[in-house]
Amino acid sequence: MIIDKAEVIVTSPDRNFVTLRITTDDGLVGIGDATLNGRELAVVAYLQEHVAPLLLGADASRIEDMWQFLYRGAYWRRGPVTMAAIAAVDMALWDIKGKAAGMPVYQLLGGASRDGLMAYGHASGKELPEIFDSIRAHQEKGFRSIRVQTGVPGLKAIYGIASQGADVGDGSVRYDHEPARRGARPTQEDWDTRAYLRHIPTVFEAVRNEFGPELPLLHDGHHRMTPLQAAKLAKSLEPYDLFWLEDCTPAENQEALKLVRQASTTPLAIGEIFNTYWDYKDIIANQLIDYVRSAVTHTGGISHMKKLMDYAAMFQIKSGFHGPTDVSPVGMAAAMHLGLAIHNFGIQEYMQHGERTNQVFRQTFTWNDGYLHPGDEPGLGVTLDVDEAGKYPYEQAYLPFNRLADGTVHDW
Ligand code: GCO
Ligand code: MG
């Protein structure tokens, strides 16, 4: 199992995806996701220029050793670019190991701890009728847990609203569909925290009244509040019994979460922009979060995330792995295998890729009655169709950003 080829494939069917494809001398092929939304080519260069030459001639079966070599051997540690690159290598090697063993990756991680993975989808709307319709549409698609994002009176464009986005080709509209954002400059959105804090509880009250107490509801604050504002938000949403409130405040300032905790019992989810378990060390030990939001793609791959989740398990903290459409189907599959195997799985985000993406990445996962399952093909269960991928060249794209009314840049 000697690596004799390591290729980086960039494709942009609905949005940009970066995939590492490793081939061994005995003909096994493994793929890994290295997509870092809006900064894709930095990871491509890291992989192509610095990692691929080190992979050639290496033993593909030594996953942990390769991880440590790439992490410690670079001297420069952590960071989204490094950790996405290492994640792709790690995923590709697990894919190869599964194929060599004739087993799906979850079997190699200890086997299934459950029958399927409860997943949540993204409902949204500018106003209540649109939000209600969107929740119903998600329920019809099988979702049993639903994230709700809302417009705010007075604000023109805001994170998470699908009707601001574009059609992905299968009739569904996404807020973050990249072609809508493509262009030389990032789009500007607007933000007003006080208006948001006033409006948001009224929306959750209306949603609870309409859909009853059972439906698990989630919400993403997308890093916009100060600690005190985050505490106010968590407290004001408490009557609506959220499954979680995500990224209520930028998590670089981890001490701040103590304030949020003291103010409310709304469960907190954090970590989609973290990239190692070091980022979680204190907030887990101090019991300041309830769900780990990392993506396998951005946090060093399956090997590193398994360690993170085992550490979190000691504190009764569960997984809520990041699963937006900018995590490729390969990264999603890795999350599903890991989620199926670990005991402390919580929920999986599942935004659903568009038709073109599903043609490029052939997948074996199943989606039944609100539950995902990665399938039982050896490895990760995803095949990259290189010819199909070649039809969609890279297009420069940026995430949007925010300015306040006076022109100040604010967290997006
Ligand atoms: C989520 C996230 C995404 C991110 C996106 C950035 O909870 O799914 O917040 O919507 O904004 O992944 O690339
Ligand atoms: Mg989020």
Side-chain angles (χ1 to χ4, degrees):
M1 284 231 292
I2 299 302
I3 298 174
D4 66 9
K5 225 192 273 173
E7 302 151 280
V8 183
I9 296 149
V10 182
T11 180
S12 193
D14 293 305
R15 62 181 320 129
N16 293 314
F17 294 114
V18 177
T19 310
L20 174 69
R21 190 167 72 155
I22 293 179
T23 310
T24 65
D25 57 355
D26 40 5
L28 292 173
V29 176
I31 53 178
D33 179 24
T35 308
L36 186 62
N37 200 4
R39 294 294 185 270
E40 296 87 356
L41 298 188
V43 192
V44 171
Y46 193 104
L47 281 169
Q48 250 163 8
E49 306 299 323
H50 306 292
V51 174
L54 302 175
L55 295 176
L56 300 180
D59 181 350
S61 68
R62 297 178 60 177
I63 305 178
E64 179 66 17
D65 182 65
M66 179 57 77
W67 197 100
Q68 299 298 342
F69 171 62
L70 292 177
Y71 185 77
R72 294 171 201 275
Y75 185 66
W76 310 106
R77 296 176 185 217
R78 306 164 67 182
V81 176
T82 298
M83 299 311 289
I86 295 179
V89 176
D90 185 80
M91 269 183 240
L93 295 185
W94 277 105
D95 195 19
I96 287 174
K97 197 175 276 298
K99 287 174 180 166
M103 287 185 199
V105 167
Y106 76 82
Q107 291 290 7
L108 305 178
L109 299 172
S113 287
R114 59 195 48 78
D115 301 329
L117 307 164
M118 181 170 74
Y120 73 91
H122 287 194
S124 66
K126 285 189 187 130
E127 288 175 16
L128 283 176
E130 194 183 322
I131 296 174
F132 290 178
D133 287 350
S134 174
I135 294 175
R136 284 194 193 95
H138 278 81
Q139 289 178 314
E140 276 158 28
K141 282 187 182 174
F143 285 102
R144 303 282 172 265
S145 308
I146 295 184
R147 180 180 104 154
V148 176
Q149 301 297 130
T150 172
V152 172
L155 296 185
K156 289 187 291 298
I158 179 172
Y159 165 81
I161 309 299
S163 51
Q164 287 172 194
D167 196 318
V168 278
D170 62 357
S172 61
V173 172
R174 307 283 162 71
Y175 69 87
D176 68 335
H177 177 45
E178 258 189 4
R181 309 275 189 224
R182 279 179 183 164
R185 305 289 306 165
T187 17
Q188 184 176 320
E189 297 185 351
D190 49 354
W191 184 248
D192 176 344
T193 306
R194 290 189 67 230
Y196 166 78
L197 291 178
R198 275 197 308 277
H199 185 61
I200 193 93
T202 68
V203 170
F204 275 90
E205 184 180 18
V207 170
R208 272 285 171 237
N209 287 341
E210 182 74 12
F211 292 91
E214 292 277 323
L215 182 65
L217 295 174
L218 302 87
H219 179 70
D220 192 344
H222 228 250
H223 327 270
R224 292 162 186 213
M225 271 56 71
T226 65
L228 198 66
Q229 290 165 341
K232 189 171 175 178
L233 172 65
K235 193 173 163 189
S236 72
L237 291 176
E238 207 167 77
Y240 314 113
D241 190 27
L242 263 57
F243 184 96
W244 79 35
L245 170 62
E246 178 185 343
D247 288 331
C248 57
T249 190
E252 292 98 310
N253 181 8
Q254 303 196 342
E255 280 287 304
L257 287 164
K258 289 186 182 156
L259 197 65
V260 186
R261 279 299 208 206
Q262 280 155 14
S264 125
T265 57
T266 296
L268 302 179
I270 287 195
E272 70 179 39
I273 58 169
F274 288 178
N275 43 67
T276 65
Y277 56 33
W278 299 108
D279 300 325
Y280 285 96
K281 185 169 137 308
D282 297 337
I283 50 172
I284 286 181
N286 294 324
Q287 213 79 56
L288 295 177
I289 57 169
D290 303 282
Y291 294 92
V292 163
R293 278 292 284 148
S294 272
V296 179
T297 304
H298 302 133
T299 316
I302 294 170
S303 303
H304 194 67
M305 289 282 281
K306 174 78 167 68
K307 292 173 189 166
L308 166 59
M309 289 317 301
D310 288 345
Y311 169 55
M314 290 196 284
F315 302 87
Q316 294 163 286
I317 293 169
K318 296 188 177 187
S319 69
F321 299 148
H322 197 203
T325 44
D326 50 280
V327 166
S328 91
V330 189
M332 282 301 291
M336 288 185 226
H337 284 278
L338 182 60
L340 200 68
I342 56 174
H343 177 253
N344 54 332
F345 169 81
I347 199 167
Q348 175 63 52
E349 182 180 26
Y350 177 41
M351 246 185 103
Q352 300 187 315
H353 290 107
E355 276 310 306
R356 286 179 292 265
T357 298
N358 293 335
Q359 291 300 313
V360 172
F361 296 93
R362 307 294 166 100
Q363 301 154 70
T364 56
F365 79 92
T366 55
W367 168 238
N368 277 324
D369 202 25
Y371 290 90
L372 290 163
H373 189 288
D376 281 301
E377 284 291 310
L380 291 173
V382 184
T383 317
L384 177 69
D385 183 329
V386 180
D387 293 337
E388 201 59 27
K391 291 184 190 167
Y392 307 106
Y394 169 78
E395 286 191 48
Q396 187 166 33
Y398 289 98
L399 283 161
F401 77 109
N402 266 331
R403 282 192 193 279
L404 304 178
D406 69 355
T408 308
V409 172
H410 192 71
D411 305 87
W412 181 71

